[in-house]
Amino acid sequence: MDDQQRKFISEVSFMYGLIKEDSLAYSEALAYPTIGIILLSGISDKSNRIPLHTSAGIAYTGLDSEIYTDTIVYLNKGRQEGFLDGNPVEYSDSKRSPFTIINNHKNSILGNLHLSSEEINVSFRSENRNILSGSSDAGAAAIGADIVHLSGGVDDTVKFENELRSISESVGRSYLGGLTLTWSTGKECSTEVLLPPESFKDYIILGCNFRDQRNPSDIIHESAVRHPAYAERVKRAGERAESLKKYAEEKDIKSIFELSMKDTDDYHALLEQVNVRVINARMRKLINIVRELRKETWMTYIVTGGSNVFVPIEKKDLKTVSESLGDLCDSLIPMKVAGKAHVIDSSIISN
């Protein structure tokens, strides 16, 4: 961690301290960003964001757990407010807005805390720490964990996941952690955990980052469905989901990542045929090096919608593979599979 990151965390901790001191009640949760394993290409609409096919993913963090989203939801007297990475979030009542999700549960939160004043609002502040990709999943999951804690729980967990999905279509991956599978008919979906983080203890994922602008996820989703063979993509995703579940039951981690590499190739071939190119020349060069290194050392690659190449390796090969790949990207970050969104601090200050 460099000095700038320490300064940032210090400032955030100070601000969170003030919020906790001044609020009537608060919940602070951590959640982890995600990487696709069976990559998602297509959603129902920009509001509900129901995946059009079954997909899968993992939550990740740094080896020292320094990659995450830290979100505090708090009750305050005065106007409702929201902040993301220190910047004010403009209020919106759209279905995708965190304000809408929070306000949907405001009465439950106030009731659980035995508060009824109309002057009380429920606000939030969220900070992303060192995230390469998948921050919206983590942000939605952390808000969800806070809401559940402050409200005393939700009656329908699948319905709640789909409510959070309006913020991010893959929120279930971050909310549940580990390796997850999101089953979808295109109209209804739910997420299940296939393997906990501990199952991946002998593996590391190298996050090879390229400081290039990424394609917006909505462009990817909208373009993919226009491909004449999109129905085949949906079919293959379902078949791979069945294979993935089998590999998980057998705890065959290598086959899980081999499947994801094949799905990466399939996904990006489809996107490039509809003129959406995610993998640039530098990323392609690194992928080609990985293919060569695979002849001697086990490793795979995953490329989602961002400017990163994720390279799963065995932990024992960290030093040698890092030396081989480190000069090919702008930064290389060793990561591990992370757990579910969880509350780390909470309190009712006054009544």
Side-chain angles (χ1 to χ4, degrees):
M1 185 182 301
D2 59 28
D3 290 342
Q4 186 175 1
Q5 290 170 334
R6 289 191 182 91
K7 181 175 182 292
F8 173 72
I9 291 174
S10 176
E11 289 173 349
V12 170
S13 298
F14 176 73
M15 179 58 70
Y16 274 28
L18 292 179
I19 289 172
K20 293 172 181 179
E21 192 173 300
D22 294 340
S23 66
L24 298 171
Y26 67 85
S27 174
E28 181 180 5
L30 296 188
Y32 303 100
T34 68
I35 303 168
I37 294 295
I38 300 174
L39 306 180
L40 177 58
S41 51
I43 56 173
S44 61
D45 59 89
K46 291 184 179 181
S47 179
N48 295 301
R49 307 189 75 80
I50 301 298
L52 291 181
H53 63 74
T54 293
S55 61
I58 53 173
Y60 72 90
T61 188
L63 293 186
D64 297 320
S65 302
E66 72 276 12
I67 299 174
Y68 55 87
T69 294
D70 185 343
T71 301
I72 183 167
V73 173
Y74 56 97
L75 280 67
N76 61 299
K77 291 185 176 179
R79 67 182 182 85
Q80 187 177 33
E81 55 192 13
F83 297 89
L84 176 60
D85 292 334
N87 300 309
V89 176
E90 184 177 353
Y91 179 83
S92 170
D93 58 3
S94 76
K95 192 169 184 178
R96 291 205 67 192
S97 170
F99 290 110
T100 298
I101 304 295
I102 288 171
N103 288 337
N104 286 347
H105 296 270
K106 178 180 177 180
N107 289 339
S108 296
I109 291 170
L110 293 177
N112 184 55
L113 301 177
H114 308 293
L115 297 168
S116 59
S117 172
E118 294 182 0
E119 298 176 358
I120 297 175
N121 272 307
V122 185
S123 299
F124 73 94
R125 179 177 284 267
S126 188
E127 306 285 347
N128 294 321
R129 312 281 177 84
N130 307 315
I131 292 176
L132 295 181
S133 179
S135 60
S136 59
D137 290 348
I143 282 179
D146 285 329
I147 288 172
V148 168
H149 187 73
L150 289 171
S151 65
V154 293
D155 294 330
D156 188 331
T157 56
V158 173
K159 181 180 178 182
F160 185 59
E161 178 190 341
N162 284 310
E163 185 180 0
L164 295 173
R165 197 179 305 285
S166 64
I167 299 177
S168 182
E169 58 271 17
S170 303
V171 63
R173 301 174 183 175
S174 181
Y175 191 71
L176 296 176
L179 171 68
T180 52
L181 190 58
T182 300
W183 298 100
S184 181
T185 65
K187 296 180 180 179
E188 298 178 341
C189 67
S190 62
T191 302
E192 66 169 312
V193 177
L194 297 185
L195 286 174
E198 295 75 25
S199 297
F200 297 84
K201 62 182 176 60
D202 295 326
Y203 295 83
I204 284 174
I205 301 168
L206 294 177
C208 305
N209 176 248
F210 298 83
R211 298 190 185 99
D212 299 305
Q213 187 172 359
R214 64 166 291 161
N215 282 290
S217 60
D218 281 342
I219 295 295
I220 291 174
H221 292 312
E222 291 165 8
S223 300
V225 299
R226 295 200 300 266
H227 195 288
Y230 181 71
E232 289 300 311
R233 168 69 186 162
V234 173
K235 180 182 177 183
R236 284 194 298 273
E239 291 169 348
R240 285 179 179 145
E242 295 295 342
S243 296
L244 185 69
K245 193 159 188 177
K246 173 177 173 290
Y247 296 147
E249 289 170 354
E250 297 169 350
K251 293 185 172 55
D252 186 351
I253 306 302
K254 287 186 178 180
S255 290
I256 288 170
F257 285 127
E258 292 283 344
L259 178 149
S260 188
M261 183 174 67
K262 291 177 183 177
D263 195 69
T264 286
D265 290 340
D266 182 35
Y267 174 86
H268 288 283
L270 181 145
L271 289 181
E272 289 176 11
Q273 289 167 16
V274 290
N275 299 315
V276 177
R277 187 173 295 276
V278 174
I279 300 174
N280 61 29
R282 295 176 66 209
M283 294 168 70
R284 181 64 67 187
K285 180 179 179 180
L286 188 143
I287 288 171
N288 289 338
I289 295 294
V290 169
R291 286 174 173 161
E292 286 297 314
L293 293 173
R294 275 170 54 81
K295 296 174 182 178
E296 303 293 335
T297 305
W298 182 86
M299 66 187 77
T300 65
Y301 57 83
I302 303 168
V303 182
T304 58
S307 53
N308 305 284
V309 179
F310 299 103
V311 181
I313 62 173
E314 291 184 90
K315 185 179 289 186
K316 65 182 178 62
D317 297 320
L318 174 60
K319 185 176 185 296
T320 55
V321 178
S322 296
E323 290 173 351
S324 298
L325 301 181
D327 292 336
L328 299 173
C329 54
D330 294 321
S331 62
L332 189 149
I333 302 169
M335 306 184 305
K336 63 184 179 182
V337 177
K340 65 182 180 180
H342 59 284
V343 172
I344 60 169
D345 190 21
S346 66
S347 182
I348 299 174
I349 305 301
S350 60
N351 204 331

